[in-house]
Amino acid sequence: MEPLESSNSTQRVTFPSRSARLAVPAGLLLTAAVFAAYANVFKVPFLLDDAMNIGDNPSIRSLSHFWTVLKGSAGTGIAGRPVANLSFALNYALSGMSPAGYHVFNVMIHAGAALFLFGLVRRTLLSPALRERYGEAALPLGFFTALLWALHPLTTEAVTYVTQRIESMMAFFFLAVLYGTARARESSRPVLWQIFAVCAMFLGAAAKEVIVAAPLMAFLHEWIFGRERPGEILRRSKVLYGGLLLGLVFLLAMVAGGGTSAKAYAGQDQYTGLQYLANQPPALLHYLRLALVPYGLSFDYGWPSDGLYGWPWPRAGLVIASALPLAAAFLAALWGAWRRRAWSFPVLGFFAVLAPTSSIIPLWCVAAEQRMYLPLAFLAALFVCGLFALVRRLSGDARPVFGAFAILALVLGGSTFVRNSAYATELSIWADTVRKLPGNSRAWTNLGKALYYAGRKEEARAALTRAVALKPDLPAARRDLGALLAELGDLPAGLAQLEKAHELTPKAPDIPRVTGEVLLKEGKSAEAVGYFLEALRLDPSYRDARRGLGAAYLASGLAAKAVAEFRRLADEDPSDTDARVNLAVALFVKGDPGGAEAALSEAHRRDPASDRAAMALAELYEKEGRRADAEALYREVLHMHPGHPGALEHLSLLMTR
């Protein structure tokens, strides 16, 4: 790409020629550099939404129920994103709940996206519009573009945070669409590469909705870097653009069908589209600052919970001061695209990829680092090729710039390694966040959760109290503080916090669900039933509330009603192992041991890796006097989960007898 020179320049590159055969070793070096920079992520635990999308996602438990895998579990962040859910199911089949396998897959996706970016930039610089000026340096420019992007610490959230593979997978397929488009233009068999790009479009649509910008960028690539008119482009590439159009229809059909879109747009209940849009210019400038100076990276910036920039309405002067340079850059890029200027492509790519998450459609978070994953690739191309053109123009010899790129790559790679160390534990990432943004009440809330699960309950109470003090109208902080206070023995104070949280968000079903769980733990099962029913009134599809309701019915002596609730859960999602185990318990209490055994056998058959299902079935066999069957199951649990305390204890007792 040529970010700085005019299209009529004839100056030749002075960098020595590079053979295309060097592309393979360059790609291997690029891959090795990515794995080196991310060498310390493989022990990073699951974080935040990983619990919902992996730990509490029954649809990934068995590949034999393929349609269930593609459909995904309702209420997760990857429902309606079948390719992403399938990738988690593959990970689960290979490594269960061990995070290492998931991280290996994430880093592989990142390395693959870097290879596509390498190939795309190299092929673009060899295009008819740029070959004369950049052909000899196409390989090193493509290599350093991909290397600097892949090692930039701003990409860490999309790679190290397992759930955000939806972002890196989308980028992988987005870049594959552009690479296939570039290859089709030069290939003697263009249809094969067009089909490749179309397949990438469909797979990307099944990963994340931001792929919607890919067809536009594919056309702009052909327009800016080719020599044809729009009509000629469309006639020559009927398979490509017809397929990309079908991909858009496929994407819109999935969004219209519900899926993840309803969850992603949850911010509509908190603020208007105009309020969200008003905050986007400062957010975009924040992204650009992090791209240039990746200092102060944060797992959560607090938007919109903490009134940054005067939320929900930022100061008018700030909006104008942020919007003017962005608007000027966008309009200049439109003019450049009309005139087929190479620099306009990465600029428009930056805006096009961010448009779905920076528009009038409000999302849960105003700003998030993972959204810059793919836009940063366009900026990397602009930076590398622009600096190369500038140095060449000023000195006539651009070779020294590649040494500078190599040094910068080492700095960025080291920064990425250091940044990933903050992800070492859930405690460390949230402690890092509150240290950088001490006014972030949402981060204090999550730090409180991390402290609670680490067994440091008094510190958790202090963190949650701090969150409530920072933002008294943050329902999540009051909800978690209320549950903790009740557990620590102060039930009235806990219920008061939960009641206040419900007043703040009367339409949120999680508040009455948590209240019901608190009451159930305190032995007030009859009162708990009412709260679970309220949660289901607000959201009839809320499976956690239905689980709680079944447990409350069972504790209240209403075994028949508990059976009905758990059976409904199992019928709605056959892969839900916990529902079948709970159904078995309810059936046993109801006096139907045969039904309980059938439910447990089905749970174990569908999810043989579940220690809970196997243990429950083994214990039932013990009660029925089937010691050999019970012993075999306990040994099976120990084989899958070495050192399992329950299996060891039961097996020891059986052998003693």
Side-chain angles (χ1 to χ4, degrees):
M1 299 178 191
E2 184 214 0
L4 296 178
E5 292 190 358
S6 62
S7 60
N8 59 5
S9 170
T10 58
Q11 185 177 2
R12 297 301 301 270
V13 177
T14 60
F15 193 78
S17 175
R18 288 289 185 265
S19 168
R21 288 175 294 182
L22 290 176
V24 172
L28 293 174
L29 179 59
L30 176 61
T31 303
V34 169
F35 273 87
Y38 283 87
N40 58 340
V41 305
F42 303 114
K43 293 184 179 180
V44 170
F46 293 125
L47 301 168
L48 202 59
D49 286 352
D50 291 343
M52 170 180 63
N53 296 326
I54 300 171
D56 297 331
N57 183 1
S59 68
I60 68 172
R61 296 293 183 261
S62 175
L63 288 170
S64 60
H65 302 90
F66 196 67
W67 173 246
T68 300
V69 173
L70 293 182
K71 182 181 178 183
S73 297
T76 64
I78 49 177
R81 291 166 172 169
V83 167
N85 204 55
L86 176 60
S87 75
F88 285 128
L90 289 170
N91 270 140
Y92 187 84
L94 293 172
S95 56
M97 288 301 295
S98 171
Y102 297 80
H103 287 298
V104 169
F105 190 92
N106 275 28
V107 178
M108 288 174 62
I109 286 291
H110 185 47
L115 291 173
F116 273 129
L117 180 60
F118 171 33
L120 173 63
V121 174
R122 177 173 171 268
R123 295 284 174 176
T124 300
L125 295 174
L126 292 172
S127 66
L130 301 177
R131 184 184 300 121
E132 183 178 354
R133 286 162 289 156
Y134 292 100
E136 294 180 51
L139 189 143
L141 288 174
F143 173 77
F144 280 111
T145 295
L147 183 67
L148 296 182
W149 172 71
L151 301 186
H152 198 293
L154 188 51
T155 63
T156 52
E157 189 168 299
V159 181
T160 309
Y161 179 17
V162 173
T163 283
Q164 286 308 324
R165 80 166 49 161
I166 58 176
E167 192 77 39
S168 58
M169 288 184 77
M170 180 280 299
F172 175 87
F173 292 121
F174 196 116
L175 292 168
V177 170
L178 297 183
Y179 181 74
T181 301
R183 290 299 303 269
R185 188 170 57 245
E186 65 188 39
S187 175
S188 60
R189 305 177 69 181
V191 173
L192 293 179
W193 284 107
Q194 290 175 14
I195 293 173
F196 172 86
V198 170
C199 290
M201 176 67 194
F202 273 86
L203 291 170
K208 192 173 183 181
E209 298 81 355
V210 179
I211 195 78
V212 68
L216 171 63
M217 295 310 300
F219 179 80
L220 285 175
H221 193 277
E222 297 230 81
W223 163 254
I224 292 172
F225 301 113
R227 299 184 183 276
E228 298 169 299
R229 297 177 182 274
E232 294 172 337
I233 293 172
L234 295 176
R235 283 192 297 272
R236 176 178 54 78
S237 305
K238 292 179 181 178
V239 172
L240 174 64
Y241 293 105
L244 293 180
L245 179 61
L246 289 176
L248 285 178
V249 173
F250 171 64
L251 172 61
L252 294 174
M254 287 198 300
V255 171
T260 310
S261 58
K263 179 180 183 295
Y265 300 155
Q268 288 175 333
D269 293 335
Q270 302 179 50
Y271 42 85
T272 68
L274 287 176
Q275 290 170 335
Y276 181 84
L277 181 63
N279 280 267
Q280 287 311 299
L284 263 62
L285 285 188
H286 180 72
Y287 293 152
L288 289 171
R289 198 275 295 170
L290 291 176
L292 291 172
V293 184
Y295 176 78
L297 295 172
S298 177
F299 194 51
D300 179 4
Y301 288 93
W303 286 315
S305 66
D306 297 306
L308 272 73
Y309 303 133
W311 176 268
W313 290 108
R315 298 187 301 275
L318 176 64
V319 175
I320 295 172
S322 304
L324 284 179
L326 293 169
F330 179 69
L331 293 174
L334 288 178
W335 174 86
W338 177 254
R339 300 298 301 272
R340 293 187 170 183
R341 297 292 189 264
W343 58 265
S344 66
F345 182 78
V347 176
L348 288 176
F350 170 81
F351 284 108
V353 175
L354 284 173
T357 56
S358 303
S359 66
I360 201 168
I361 302 175
L363 304 182
W364 176 249
C365 294
V366 172
E369 284 177 11
Q370 76 268 8
R371 295 176 191 169
M372 268 297 286
Y373 181 77
L374 181 55
L376 184 65
F378 289 99
L379 295 181
L382 187 66
F383 170 76
V384 169
C385 298
L387 188 59
F388 173 84
L390 179 62
V391 172
R392 186 185 61 179
R393 173 170 294 182
L394 294 177
S395 67
D397 184 1
R399 283 177 293 187
V401 78
F402 293 103
F405 289 151
I407 294 172
L408 181 58
L410 288 174
V411 172
L412 291 175
S415 299
T416 290
F417 191 88
V418 171
R419 175 58 184 160
N420 281 326
S421 65
Y423 286 85
T425 66
E426 191 150 12
L427 262 178
S428 65
I429 191 61
W430 289 115
D432 174 80
T433 304
V434 299
R435 186 180 72 253
K436 293 173 178 175
L437 298 168
N440 185 340
S441 62
R442 199 162 58 202
W444 280 105
T445 302
N446 285 299
L447 177 62
K449 288 182 182 179
L451 288 165
Y452 172 82
Y453 288 117
R456 296 156 61 176
K457 295 182 181 180
E458 288 299 330
E459 293 176 73
R461 174 161 62 177
L464 291 169
T465 302
R466 175 75 178 274
V468 171
L470 284 169
K471 189 170 177 60
D473 60 345
L474 183 62
R478 289 189 177 274
R479 177 199 63 202
D480 295 344
L481 179 59
L484 179 57
L485 289 173
E487 184 173 333
L488 291 174
D490 194 347
L491 182 61
L495 292 177
Q497 290 289 346
L498 288 166
E499 182 62 29
K500 181 62 178 178
H502 188 53
E503 291 175 6
L504 291 169
T505 53
K507 295 182 180 180
D510 63 313
I511 308 297
R513 190 262 304 172
V514 171
T515 306
E517 290 177 353
V518 166
L519 291 169
L520 188 58
K521 287 180 182 178
E522 294 294 324
K524 301 177 182 294
S525 55
E527 294 179 52
V529 166
Y531 282 97
F532 288 125
L533 288 173
E534 171 65 11
L536 287 169
R537 183 189 68 79
L538 293 169
D539 182 1
S541 65
Y542 196 6
R543 294 178 64 82
D544 284 344
R546 197 167 295 286
R547 287 190 186 94
L549 180 60
Y553 279 146
L554 194 61
S556 301
L558 303 172
K561 288 190 174 183
V563 167
E565 291 300 328
F566 291 132
R567 192 181 299 281
R568 187 178 308 169
L569 283 169
D571 290 343
E572 289 175 355
D573 188 349
S575 65
D576 190 340
T577 302
D578 285 340
R580 292 189 182 278
V581 174
N582 292 338
L583 172 61
V585 173
L587 286 167
F588 190 84
V589 172
K590 186 173 177 286
D592 185 3
E597 182 180 340
L600 288 173
S601 298
E602 180 66 8
H604 183 57
R605 184 186 70 81
R606 287 181 172 274
D607 189 2
S610 170
D611 60 328
R612 187 184 179 209
M615 287 294 297
L617 183 58
E619 289 172 21
L620 184 61
Y621 285 158
E622 268 198 87
K623 287 183 174 65
E624 295 176 346
R626 298 165 58 180
R627 294 178 56 187
D629 292 334
E631 181 179 339
L633 272 176
Y634 289 135
R635 292 187 184 278
E636 182 180 323
V637 172
L638 286 171
H639 177 72
M640 293 185 297
H641 307 277
H644 191 286
L648 282 173
E649 180 182 354
H650 281 275
L651 190 59
S652 175
L653 288 172
L654 278 176
M655 295 176 69
T656 301
R657 291 169 190 164

